[in-house]
Amino acid sequence: TTSLKHGLSSSSPSGFAGLGMLLCGPFGKPHEGREMAKAAELILEKPGMRSRAVYTVFVTQSFCYHWTSPLQDTIAPLLDGYQRGLEIGDNDSACWCLLTRSYHIFFVGRALDSIQKELEATIQVMTQLKQDESLLHCIGLLTTMKKLRGIDVEAGDKILDSMLATAASTGDFS
């Protein structure tokens, strides 16, 4: 209602995207949710709205569009969201886009060896960007790929053990 009373602000796109997510999921109205997601994207085209652009892409592509469109259709926009996030310095949202894209390429049935190679590269990027939460999810997905392929089934466990040991020694469990 703030956008209706006072006009659009830089937080409006993510607000509309969040409403779209609620409509699609808990409220069971995916077509109305998709319309809110589209509205969020239209607002992003206005000047001064870029600050939450990548987060908005993450929400719309992760939680709205797959209800009414093929999951395959989210893969390219999520990669674009990742790239735009790096360009504007929104590394958190960029990495969430990249992680969600990794899950989606698994769910649409891409070859496991291809996904594994991409995840290994993704882990390097997330490590460099210090995106530990996304990194942990990515490690779990990589471990799944390796176990499904029957190779190096202990690798993910070793990486996770190393991360937990580092967290314990530094006291940083965030």
Side-chain angles (χ1 to χ4, degrees):
T1 60
T2 302
S3 291
L4 296 175
K5 283 183 182 178
H6 304 287
L8 299 174
S9 71
S10 61
S11 65
S12 295
S14 55
F16 277 80
L19 179 57
M21 176 177 63
L22 290 172
L23 287 167
C24 287
F27 296 125
K29 297 181 178 185
H31 295 286
E32 289 90 342
R34 182 191 63 218
E35 294 307 312
M36 284 294 121
K38 286 181 181 179
E41 292 172 345
L42 287 173
I43 295 168
L44 286 174
E45 294 176 13
K46 295 191 171 292
M49 300 294 168
R50 287 185 49 103
S51 66
R52 299 295 289 163
V54 181
Y55 178 77
T56 301
V57 168
F58 165 68
V59 172
T60 59
Q61 298 300 323
S62 301
F63 303 109
C64 297
Y65 287 124
H66 73 280
W67 292 96
T68 58
S69 303
L71 190 61
Q72 177 71 37
D73 294 351
T74 67
I75 293 172
L78 285 165
L79 181 59
D80 181 58
Y82 162 71
Q83 292 166 337
R84 283 195 291 164
L86 293 181
E87 288 170 9
I88 66 171
D90 186 357
N91 294 341
D92 290 342
S93 297
C95 287
W96 284 113
C97 284
L98 190 59
L99 175 67
T100 302
R101 181 182 180 279
S102 297
Y103 277 104
H104 288 190
I105 64 174
F106 173 65
F107 296 147
V108 300
R110 186 173 291 178
L112 296 179
D113 62 331
S114 168
I115 298 171
Q116 180 181 333
K117 289 176 187 169
E118 195 163 315
L119 286 169
E120 288 167 347
T122 297
I123 285 172
Q124 290 179 3
V125 168
M126 289 181 179
T127 300
Q128 289 174 347
L129 295 174
K130 297 179 178 19
Q131 296 297 311
D132 294 336
E133 190 173 350
S134 299
L135 178 63
L136 285 174
H137 288 277
C138 199
I139 289 169
L141 186 56
L142 177 61
T143 301
T144 301
M145 293 306 109
K146 288 183 175 185
K147 288 185 179 194
L148 287 172
R149 295 186 68 213
I151 57 171
D152 203 11
V153 294
E154 299 298 320
D157 297 336
K158 291 174 189 171
I159 294 170
L160 185 57
D161 288 345
S162 171
M163 292 176 74
L164 290 172
T166 300
S169 71
T170 62
D172 182 8
F173 294 97
S174 58

